[in-house]
Amino acid sequence: MTTLDPRGDLVALTRAVCDIPSVSGDETALADLVEAALRTADHLEVLRDGDAVVARTQLGRPSRVVVAGHLDTVPVADNLPTRLEDGWLWGRGTVDMLGGVAVALALAVQLENPTRDVTWVFYDHEEVEAELNGLGRLVRTHPDWLACDFAVLGEPSNGGIEGGCNGTMRAEVRLHGVAAHSARAWVGVNAIHAAGEVLRRLEAYEPRSVEVDGLVYRESLNAVLVSGGTATNVIPDRCVVTVNYRFAPSTDVAGAEQHLRELFDGFELVVTDAAPGARPGLDHPAAAEFARAVLAVTGGAPAPKYGWTDVARFSALGIPAVNFGPGDPLLAHKDDERCPVDQITSSYAALRTWLTS
Amino acid sequence: MTTLDPRGDLVALTRAVCDIPSVSGDETALADLVEAALRTADHLEVLRDGDAVVARTQLGRPSRVVVAGHLDTVPVADNLPTRLEDGWLWGRGTVDMLGGVAVALALAVQLENPTRDVTWVFYDHEEVEAELNGLGRLVRTHPDWLACDFAVLGEPSNGGIEGGCNGTMRAEVRLHGVAAHSARAWVGVNAIHAAGEVLRRLEAYEPRSVEVDGLVYRESLNAVLVSGGTATNVIPDRCVVTVNYRFAPSTDVAGAEQHLRELFDGFELVVTDAAPGARPGLDHPAAAEFARAVLAVTGGAPAPKYGWTDVARFSALGIPAVNFGPGDPLLAHKDDERCPVDQITSSYAALRTWLTS
């Protein structure tokens, strides 16, 4: 039977973690091996919920941090087992996010005496529907397991800190007209033509860039769907433009809706979906020290995260959280997913520095 | 068994024709009765093809005209049997177009000695797919039955002449972009936003009014469908605006396409469907005499027809043709379909004047 050796070579450990298939819903084999590896460390209390494994120190330190990562990947695309080539580790999961999992697993076992209490969280079902998300399940079933002052989520961020995330809102701008036979078009009112003004405002819209806790968040507002008309001989009486607004974490959901209502003044607007962003929380002392450690080891300054990630789940608990892990997020989920080996080792070094200084 | 009496009261005949259900595909009962009524007239040669019935004089006149009408209706909407109320005949088919059929049937039997040879055409399957159309079938199987100098189609036209019809063209304006995750919208190019310029040109477009053979045709150009986007978190790389152009019969299909290509210069445009219009042909002597007869009897001057009708089938054969029948076309297919009785009698009088003077 395979075992994982968190005390040995880090790249070998990363490859071993990636080479165990763990597509969402099928994480048990990897979760079992992670649990077994963690149980070899006497300084850790190990807990399990489904395929989520939690290990924590109980050193009585004045502050506690969480380091979390998901065990599941998107489906394999003939890109396993991993291969090492010219300093890159190729294969499913190397970026999203088993590189970050390997780094955490190594440090969890190796750091017997960290300067902060640490809760290491490995969870399931991140790549699928939100209601299955393993971290979300722990929030509901064992919120005490996640108690901390600051959290690091090992999502790929090119080995630098990507803080917080933008919020997201979807809304429908609904246009109305009067149907008529298109042979007598002048009897009707064309709802699709009315959408021209909506698209005009979107085209003219200049997205803001907003500084939050020292990071600059770039917003965006886009039409993502448009649909109108019933038949090719009928003047359409209905057209819907669905917009997606990504807003800085300094704006709440109500503020985002207000902004859209002002922009589309005069049109019917219905919000269909919204999730708040997450502030980076880099003004928190533990976060600031982490940022200094990363800067010292990798030379990288914190940057904003644009995509919505599970850091928002910590944010919703009032816990500042950042993304920090090896790999370029633009290569996640791709068939040619690959991670620079030096980002795996520098991520390890930066976390180690932070947790031991 | 019911019989039709084309020599008796015209309104009673119209009611009898309407009260025999003849929804498309179920015209046989009515076609049989029409054939039987026509066969009572010795001056007529009666022909049959499926549920199309043709009757013609063979008087050796220097010109021949066709008077045609379809026997089928759209489905009954609890609006049969007919009822007569305050000068209106209510019920399915009274407008579209069994009023016209009754007028033609009466005149076919009554006029033993018309001043022109007349071919009376009663056909099936007008209200359904074009390939089933009974007149189209006669064009393919018995084109000689339709030979004439001028044709009158008894479609509802408020008892006045509606000449020719606009052509129609459908085309897709296809917009292209670059897909991206909507959290990093600036990496992509939004194809829906690009459609804004297409809608702007449509909104600014001023449709022409074109005089053809003395009638003024009002054109129109409209977006009838719009569709774009794949998911609410993706910057759309594709959007399609389907437009419907109704163009005057002085423009051919190639000219209509050229006009659209100039208007949407810079965009991909694909023509998906087109049918030419039909000139009213009112400069033809038989047509001009018909127009004079109608003007004398009803006071109505010829007007353009906007919707595409089977007159275009005659036009495609090189035969000028007009619509002339009782009833308001805007009431066709409606649950409250109803026809003014005086339009039935005045249509009869005008046709009789033309064919006997």
Side-chain angles (χ1 to χ4, degrees), chain B residues 219-250:
Chain B
E219 297 192 335
S220 65
L221 175 62
N222 275 271
V224 285
L225 296 174
V226 63
S227 170
T230 53
T232 59
N233 62 349
V234 175
I235 300 302
D237 65 350
R238 188 169 155 77
C239 182
V240 177
V241 179
T242 303
V243 300
N244 183 207
Y245 179 34
R246 302 280 177 151
F247 52 94
S250 52

PDB file of all heavy atoms in Angstrom, chain B residues 219-250:
ATOM      1  N   GLU B 219     -41.374  49.740 -45.867  1.00  0.00           N
ATOM      2  CA  GLU B 219     -40.420  48.686 -45.511  1.00  0.00           C
ATOM      3  C   GLU B 219     -40.216  48.651 -44.002  1.00  0.00           C
ATOM      4  O   GLU B 219     -40.662  49.542 -43.268  1.00  0.00           O
ATOM      5  CB  GLU B 219     -39.081  48.930 -46.206  1.00  0.00           C
ATOM      6  CG  GLU B 219     -39.159  48.874 -47.731  1.00  0.00           C
ATOM      7  CD  GLU B 219     -37.779  48.829 -48.367  1.00  0.00           C
ATOM      8  OE1 GLU B 219     -36.810  49.299 -47.739  1.00  0.00           O
ATOM      9  OE2 GLU B 219     -37.675  48.300 -49.492  1.00  0.00           O
ATOM     10  N   SER B 220     -39.534  47.618 -43.505  1.00  0.00           N
ATOM     11  CA  SER B 220     -39.153  47.597 -42.095  1.00  0.00           C
ATOM     12  C   SER B 220     -37.931  46.718 -41.919  1.00  0.00           C
ATOM     13  O   SER B 220     -37.667  45.840 -42.743  1.00  0.00           O
ATOM     14  CB  SER B 220     -40.307  47.095 -41.216  1.00  0.00           C
ATOM     15  OG  SER B 220     -40.597  45.746 -41.509  1.00  0.00           O
ATOM     16  N   LEU B 221     -37.195  46.999 -40.870  1.00  0.00           N
ATOM     17  CA  LEU B 221     -35.999  46.208 -40.558  1.00  0.00           C
ATOM     18  C   LEU B 221     -35.934  46.084 -39.044  1.00  0.00           C
ATOM     19  O   LEU B 221     -35.874  47.093 -38.341  1.00  0.00           O
ATOM     20  CB  LEU B 221     -34.738  46.892 -41.093  1.00  0.00           C
ATOM     21  CG  LEU B 221     -33.423  46.228 -40.714  1.00  0.00           C
ATOM     22  CD1 LEU B 221     -33.334  44.809 -41.267  1.00  0.00           C
ATOM     23  CD2 LEU B 221     -32.239  47.059 -41.220  1.00  0.00           C
ATOM     24  N   ASN B 222     -35.971  44.858 -38.549  1.00  0.00           N
ATOM     25  CA  ASN B 222     -36.025  44.652 -37.103  1.00  0.00           C
ATOM     26  C   ASN B 222     -35.175  43.488 -36.647  1.00  0.00           C
ATOM     27  O   ASN B 222     -35.080  42.468 -37.351  1.00  0.00           O
ATOM     28  CB  ASN B 222     -37.465  44.343 -36.680  1.00  0.00           C
ATOM     29  CG  ASN B 222     -38.261  45.603 -36.448  1.00  0.00           C
ATOM     30  OD1 ASN B 222     -38.279  46.140 -35.351  1.00  0.00           O
ATOM     31  ND2 ASN B 222     -38.882  46.105 -37.501  1.00  0.00           N
ATOM     32  N   ALA B 223     -34.600  43.650 -35.472  1.00  0.00           N
ATOM     33  CA  ALA B 223     -34.073  42.480 -34.770  1.00  0.00           C
ATOM     34  C   ALA B 223     -35.278  41.669 -34.304  1.00  0.00           C
ATOM     35  O   ALA B 223     -36.213  42.218 -33.712  1.00  0.00           O
ATOM     36  CB  ALA B 223     -33.233  42.901 -33.565  1.00  0.00           C
ATOM     37  N   VAL B 224     -35.300  40.366 -34.603  1.00  0.00           N
ATOM     38  CA  VAL B 224     -36.412  39.518 -34.156  1.00  0.00           C
ATOM     39  C   VAL B 224     -35.954  38.488 -33.123  1.00  0.00           C
ATOM     40  O   VAL B 224     -36.766  37.982 -32.346  1.00  0.00           O
ATOM     41  CB  VAL B 224     -37.104  38.817 -35.344  1.00  0.00           C
ATOM     42  CG1 VAL B 224     -37.963  39.817 -36.112  1.00  0.00           C
ATOM     43  CG2 VAL B 224     -36.090  38.159 -36.269  1.00  0.00           C
ATOM     44  N   LEU B 225     -34.662  38.190 -33.118  1.00  0.00           N
ATOM     45  CA  LEU B 225     -34.098  37.284 -32.111  1.00  0.00           C
ATOM     46  C   LEU B 225     -32.722  37.812 -31.723  1.00  0.00           C
ATOM     47  O   LEU B 225     -32.007  38.380 -32.547  1.00  0.00           O
ATOM     48  CB  LEU B 225     -33.922  35.858 -32.662  1.00  0.00           C
ATOM     49  CG  LEU B 225     -35.150  35.054 -33.085  1.00  0.00           C
ATOM     50  CD1 LEU B 225     -34.720  33.744 -33.728  1.00  0.00           C
ATOM     51  CD2 LEU B 225     -36.045  34.774 -31.885  1.00  0.00           C
ATOM     52  N   VAL B 226     -32.349  37.592 -30.463  1.00  0.00           N
ATOM     53  CA  VAL B 226     -30.962  37.829 -30.058  1.00  0.00           C
ATOM     54  C   VAL B 226     -30.583  36.751 -29.067  1.00  0.00           C
ATOM     55  O   VAL B 226     -31.404  36.317 -28.254  1.00  0.00           O
ATOM     56  CB  VAL B 226     -30.766  39.236 -29.463  1.00  0.00           C
ATOM     57  CG1 VAL B 226     -31.581  39.429 -28.194  1.00  0.00           C
ATOM     58  CG2 VAL B 226     -29.289  39.499 -29.157  1.00  0.00           C
ATOM     59  N   SER B 227     -29.371  36.263 -29.179  1.00  0.00           N
ATOM     60  CA  SER B 227     -28.918  35.183 -28.318  1.00  0.00           C
ATOM     61  C   SER B 227     -27.413  35.285 -28.169  1.00  0.00           C
ATOM     62  O   SER B 227     -26.678  35.416 -29.149  1.00  0.00           O
ATOM     63  CB  SER B 227     -29.290  33.846 -28.963  1.00  0.00           C
ATOM     64  OG  SER B 227     -28.680  32.793 -28.276  1.00  0.00           O
ATOM     65  N   GLY B 228     -26.949  35.229 -26.913  1.00  0.00           N
ATOM     66  CA  GLY B 228     -25.509  35.291 -26.694  1.00  0.00           C
ATOM     67  C   GLY B 228     -25.162  34.835 -25.301  1.00  0.00           C
ATOM     68  O   GLY B 228     -25.999  34.902 -24.398  1.00  0.00           O
ATOM     69  N   GLY B 229     -23.915  34.357 -25.143  1.00  0.00           N
ATOM     70  CA  GLY B 229     -23.431  33.955 -23.836  1.00  0.00           C
ATOM     71  C   GLY B 229     -23.595  32.479 -23.594  1.00  0.00           C
ATOM     72  O   GLY B 229     -24.446  31.810 -24.197  1.00  0.00           O
ATOM     73  N   THR B 230     -22.755  31.937 -22.690  1.00  0.00           N
ATOM     74  CA  THR B 230     -22.773  30.509 -22.424  1.00  0.00           C
ATOM     75  C   THR B 230     -23.016  30.222 -20.951  1.00  0.00           C
ATOM     76  O   THR B 230     -23.626  29.220 -20.614  1.00  0.00           O
ATOM     77  CB  THR B 230     -21.430  29.870 -22.816  1.00  0.00           C
ATOM     78  OG1 THR B 230     -20.376  30.595 -22.162  1.00  0.00           O
ATOM     79  CG2 THR B 230     -21.225  29.946 -24.317  1.00  0.00           C
ATOM     80  N   ALA B 231     -22.568  31.080 -20.075  1.00  0.00           N
ATOM     81  CA  ALA B 231     -22.725  30.855 -18.632  1.00  0.00           C
ATOM     82  C   ALA B 231     -22.585  32.204 -17.957  1.00  0.00           C
ATOM     83  O   ALA B 231     -22.017  33.141 -18.528  1.00  0.00           O
ATOM     84  CB  ALA B 231     -21.671  29.887 -18.116  1.00  0.00           C
ATOM     85  N   THR B 232     -23.102  32.276 -16.716  1.00  0.00           N
ATOM     86  CA  THR B 232     -23.111  33.579 -16.055  1.00  0.00           C
ATOM     87  C   THR B 232     -21.770  33.955 -15.445  1.00  0.00           C
ATOM     88  O   THR B 232     -21.656  35.014 -14.844  1.00  0.00           O
ATOM     89  CB  THR B 232     -24.207  33.631 -14.967  1.00  0.00           C
ATOM     90  OG1 THR B 232     -23.954  32.603 -14.024  1.00  0.00           O
ATOM     91  CG2 THR B 232     -25.588  33.456 -15.569  1.00  0.00           C
ATOM     92  N   ASN B 233     -20.736  33.098 -15.605  1.00  0.00           N
ATOM     93  CA  ASN B 233     -19.401  33.494 -15.134  1.00  0.00           C
ATOM     94  C   ASN B 233     -18.377  33.503 -16.270  1.00  0.00           C
ATOM     95  O   ASN B 233     -17.191  33.386 -16.028  1.00  0.00           O
ATOM     96  CB  ASN B 233     -18.937  32.577 -13.989  1.00  0.00           C
ATOM     97  CG  ASN B 233     -18.805  31.142 -14.445  1.00  0.00           C
ATOM     98  OD1 ASN B 233     -19.242  30.782 -15.530  1.00  0.00           O
ATOM     99  ND2 ASN B 233     -18.184  30.312 -13.620  1.00  0.00           N
ATOM    100  N   VAL B 234     -18.877  33.628 -17.477  1.00  0.00           N
ATOM    101  CA  VAL B 234     -17.989  33.617 -18.639  1.00  0.00           C
ATOM    102  C   VAL B 234     -18.254  34.849 -19.505  1.00  0.00           C
ATOM    103  O   VAL B 234     -19.408  35.155 -19.812  1.00  0.00           O
ATOM    104  CB  VAL B 234     -18.203  32.332 -19.473  1.00  0.00           C
ATOM    105  CG1 VAL B 234     -17.369  32.360 -20.746  1.00  0.00           C
ATOM    106  CG2 VAL B 234     -17.862  31.092 -18.642  1.00  0.00           C
ATOM    107  N   ILE B 235     -17.175  35.538 -19.889  1.00  0.00           N
ATOM    108  CA  ILE B 235     -17.313  36.635 -20.850  1.00  0.00           C
ATOM    109  C   ILE B 235     -17.668  35.998 -22.192  1.00  0.00           C
ATOM    110  O   ILE B 235     -16.934  35.140 -22.681  1.00  0.00           O
ATOM    111  CB  ILE B 235     -15.996  37.433 -20.951  1.00  0.00           C
ATOM    112  CG1 ILE B 235     -15.631  38.031 -19.589  1.00  0.00           C
ATOM    113  CG2 ILE B 235     -16.113  38.533 -22.005  1.00  0.00           C
ATOM    114  CD1 ILE B 235     -16.674  38.938 -18.996  1.00  0.00           C
ATOM    115  N   PRO B 236     -18.808  36.390 -22.777  1.00  0.00           N
ATOM    116  CA  PRO B 236     -19.303  35.685 -23.969  1.00  0.00           C
ATOM    117  C   PRO B 236     -18.443  35.935 -25.199  1.00  0.00           C
ATOM    118  O   PRO B 236     -18.063  37.076 -25.467  1.00  0.00           O
ATOM    119  CB  PRO B 236     -20.712  36.262 -24.146  1.00  0.00           C
ATOM    120  CG  PRO B 236     -20.678  37.582 -23.463  1.00  0.00           C
ATOM    121  CD  PRO B 236     -19.713  37.461 -22.323  1.00  0.00           C
ATOM    122  N   ASP B 237     -18.180  34.838 -25.917  1.00  0.00           N
ATOM    123  CA  ASP B 237     -17.379  34.965 -27.141  1.00  0.00           C
ATOM    124  C   ASP B 237     -18.250  34.905 -28.387  1.00  0.00           C
ATOM    125  O   ASP B 237     -17.721  34.877 -29.501  1.00  0.00           O
ATOM    126  CB  ASP B 237     -16.286  33.893 -27.190  1.00  0.00           C
ATOM    127  CG  ASP B 237     -16.855  32.490 -27.284  1.00  0.00           C
ATOM    128  OD1 ASP B 237     -18.079  32.331 -27.117  1.00  0.00           O
ATOM    129  OD2 ASP B 237     -16.082  31.553 -27.521  1.00  0.00           O
ATOM    130  N   ARG B 238     -19.570  34.900 -28.196  1.00  0.00           N
ATOM    131  CA  ARG B 238     -20.454  34.749 -29.355  1.00  0.00           C
ATOM    132  C   ARG B 238     -21.813  35.359 -29.043  1.00  0.00           C
ATOM    133  O   ARG B 238     -22.354  35.208 -27.946  1.00  0.00           O
ATOM    134  CB  ARG B 238     -20.623  33.257 -29.652  1.00  0.00           C
ATOM    135  CG  ARG B 238     -21.349  32.957 -30.926  1.00  0.00           C
ATOM    136  CD  ARG B 238     -21.233  31.481 -31.288  1.00  0.00           C
ATOM    137  NE  ARG B 238     -22.350  31.088 -32.126  1.00  0.00           N
ATOM    138  CZ  ARG B 238     -22.462  31.372 -33.416  1.00  0.00           C
ATOM    139  NH1 ARG B 238     -21.499  32.030 -34.017  1.00  0.00           N
ATOM    140  NH2 ARG B 238     -23.508  31.025 -34.105  1.00  0.00           N
ATOM    141  N   CYS B 239     -22.343  36.082 -30.024  1.00  0.00           N
ATOM    142  CA  CYS B 239     -23.685  36.647 -29.901  1.00  0.00           C
ATOM    143  C   CYS B 239     -24.246  36.726 -31.317  1.00  0.00           C
ATOM    144  O   CYS B 239     -23.514  37.021 -32.264  1.00  0.00           O
ATOM    145  CB  CYS B 239     -23.630  38.030 -29.249  1.00  0.00           C
ATOM    146  SG  CYS B 239     -25.250  38.788 -28.989  1.00  0.00           S
ATOM    147  N   VAL B 240     -25.514  36.409 -31.458  1.00  0.00           N
ATOM    148  CA  VAL B 240     -26.150  36.443 -32.778  1.00  0.00           C
ATOM    149  C   VAL B 240     -27.410  37.308 -32.700  1.00  0.00           C
ATOM    150  O   VAL B 240     -28.268  37.091 -31.846  1.00  0.00           O
ATOM    151  CB  VAL B 240     -26.531  35.024 -33.262  1.00  0.00           C
ATOM    152  CG1 VAL B 240     -27.259  35.094 -34.603  1.00  0.00           C
ATOM    153  CG2 VAL B 240     -25.290  34.139 -33.370  1.00  0.00           C
ATOM    154  N   VAL B 241     -27.480  38.285 -33.577  1.00  0.00           N
ATOM    155  CA  VAL B 241     -28.688  39.097 -33.729  1.00  0.00           C
ATOM    156  C   VAL B 241     -29.337  38.691 -35.053  1.00  0.00           C
ATOM    157  O   VAL B 241     -28.716  38.799 -36.108  1.00  0.00           O
ATOM    158  CB  VAL B 241     -28.363  40.602 -33.758  1.00  0.00           C
ATOM    159  CG1 VAL B 241     -29.653  41.410 -33.937  1.00  0.00           C
ATOM    160  CG2 VAL B 241     -27.632  41.030 -32.495  1.00  0.00           C
ATOM    161  N   THR B 242     -30.562  38.160 -34.978  1.00  0.00           N
ATOM    162  CA  THR B 242     -31.285  37.783 -36.197  1.00  0.00           C
ATOM    163  C   THR B 242     -32.192  38.937 -36.593  1.00  0.00           C
ATOM    164  O   THR B 242     -32.992  39.410 -35.780  1.00  0.00           O
ATOM    165  CB  THR B 242     -32.129  36.517 -35.961  1.00  0.00           C
ATOM    166  OG1 THR B 242     -31.257  35.477 -35.515  1.00  0.00           O
ATOM    167  CG2 THR B 242     -32.819  36.071 -37.251  1.00  0.00           C
ATOM    168  N   VAL B 243     -32.043  39.405 -37.817  1.00  0.00           N
ATOM    169  CA  VAL B 243     -32.862  40.520 -38.281  1.00  0.00           C
ATOM    170  C   VAL B 243     -33.823  40.045 -39.361  1.00  0.00           C
ATOM    171  O   VAL B 243     -33.559  39.063 -40.064  1.00  0.00           O
ATOM    172  CB  VAL B 243     -31.994  41.687 -38.823  1.00  0.00           C
ATOM    173  CG1 VAL B 243     -31.074  42.218 -37.744  1.00  0.00           C
ATOM    174  CG2 VAL B 243     -31.205  41.277 -40.053  1.00  0.00           C
ATOM    175  N   ASN B 244     -34.952  40.719 -39.442  1.00  0.00           N
ATOM    176  CA  ASN B 244     -35.930  40.445 -40.500  1.00  0.00           C
ATOM    177  C   ASN B 244     -36.122  41.738 -41.289  1.00  0.00           C
ATOM    178  O   ASN B 244     -36.508  42.762 -40.736  1.00  0.00           O
ATOM    179  CB  ASN B 244     -37.255  39.973 -39.892  1.00  0.00           C
ATOM    180  CG  ASN B 244     -38.304  39.605 -40.949  1.00  0.00           C
ATOM    181  OD1 ASN B 244     -39.488  39.688 -40.704  1.00  0.00           O
ATOM    182  ND2 ASN B 244     -37.881  39.206 -42.131  1.00  0.00           N
ATOM    183  N   TYR B 245     -35.824  41.678 -42.558  1.00  0.00           N
ATOM    184  CA  TYR B 245     -35.953  42.837 -43.441  1.00  0.00           C
ATOM    185  C   TYR B 245     -37.127  42.588 -44.372  1.00  0.00           C
ATOM    186  O   TYR B 245     -37.171  41.568 -45.054  1.00  0.00           O
ATOM    187  CB  TYR B 245     -34.645  42.996 -44.218  1.00  0.00           C
ATOM    188  CG  TYR B 245     -34.608  44.139 -45.216  1.00  0.00           C
ATOM    189  CD1 TYR B 245     -35.275  45.341 -44.983  1.00  0.00           C
ATOM    190  CD2 TYR B 245     -33.859  44.023 -46.379  1.00  0.00           C
ATOM    191  CE1 TYR B 245     -35.215  46.383 -45.896  1.00  0.00           C
ATOM    192  CE2 TYR B 245     -33.782  45.060 -47.299  1.00  0.00           C
ATOM    193  CZ  TYR B 245     -34.474  46.244 -47.053  1.00  0.00           C
ATOM    194  OH  TYR B 245     -34.410  47.267 -47.966  1.00  0.00           O
ATOM    195  N   ARG B 246     -38.096  43.479 -44.339  1.00  0.00           N
ATOM    196  CA  ARG B 246     -39.231  43.413 -45.256  1.00  0.00           C
ATOM    197  C   ARG B 246     -39.002  44.512 -46.290  1.00  0.00           C
ATOM    198  O   ARG B 246     -38.982  45.700 -45.939  1.00  0.00           O
ATOM    199  CB  ARG B 246     -40.538  43.652 -44.494  1.00  0.00           C
ATOM    200  CG  ARG B 246     -40.781  42.664 -43.373  1.00  0.00           C
ATOM    201  CD  ARG B 246     -41.328  41.355 -43.918  1.00  0.00           C
ATOM    202  NE  ARG B 246     -41.500  40.364 -42.864  1.00  0.00           N
ATOM    203  CZ  ARG B 246     -42.418  39.405 -42.915  1.00  0.00           C
ATOM    204  NH1 ARG B 246     -43.224  39.290 -43.959  1.00  0.00           N
ATOM    205  NH2 ARG B 246     -42.496  38.520 -41.937  1.00  0.00           N
ATOM    206  N   PHE B 247     -38.812  44.117 -47.535  1.00  0.00           N
ATOM    207  CA  PHE B 247     -38.397  45.085 -48.560  1.00  0.00           C
ATOM    208  C   PHE B 247     -39.422  45.166 -49.689  1.00  0.00           C
ATOM    209  O   PHE B 247     -40.105  44.191 -50.018  1.00  0.00           O
ATOM    210  CB  PHE B 247     -37.017  44.726 -49.096  1.00  0.00           C
ATOM    211  CG  PHE B 247     -36.868  43.301 -49.563  1.00  0.00           C
ATOM    212  CD1 PHE B 247     -37.063  42.966 -50.889  1.00  0.00           C
ATOM    213  CD2 PHE B 247     -36.530  42.292 -48.658  1.00  0.00           C
ATOM    214  CE1 PHE B 247     -36.923  41.644 -51.324  1.00  0.00           C
ATOM    215  CE2 PHE B 247     -36.394  40.971 -49.088  1.00  0.00           C
ATOM    216  CZ  PHE B 247     -36.603  40.650 -50.419  1.00  0.00           C
ATOM    217  N   ALA B 248     -39.492  46.359 -50.268  1.00  0.00           N
ATOM    218  CA  ALA B 248     -40.490  46.641 -51.311  1.00  0.00           C
ATOM    219  C   ALA B 248     -40.282  45.706 -52.504  1.00  0.00           C
ATOM    220  O   ALA B 248     -39.161  45.270 -52.779  1.00  0.00           O
ATOM    221  CB  ALA B 248     -40.364  48.098 -51.743  1.00  0.00           C
ATOM    222  N   PRO B 249     -41.366  45.399 -53.239  1.00  0.00           N
ATOM    223  CA  PRO B 249     -41.270  44.451 -54.351  1.00  0.00           C
ATOM    224  C   PRO B 249     -40.449  44.967 -55.534  1.00  0.00           C
ATOM    225  O   PRO B 249     -40.182  44.201 -56.455  1.00  0.00           O
ATOM    226  CB  PRO B 249     -42.738  44.213 -54.738  1.00  0.00           C
ATOM    227  CG  PRO B 249     -43.501  45.339 -54.158  1.00  0.00           C
ATOM    228  CD  PRO B 249     -42.752  45.800 -52.964  1.00  0.00           C
ATOM    229  N   SER B 250     -40.025  46.234 -55.497  1.00  0.00           N
ATOM    230  CA  SER B 250     -39.133  46.727 -56.552  1.00  0.00           C
ATOM    231  C   SER B 250     -37.692  46.288 -56.301  1.00  0.00           C
ATOM    232  O   SER B 250     -36.839  46.414 -57.166  1.00  0.00           O
ATOM    233  CB  SER B 250     -39.195  48.259 -56.603  1.00  0.00           C
ATOM    234  OG  SER B 250     -38.966  48.788 -55.314  1.00  0.00           O
TER     235      SER B 250
END
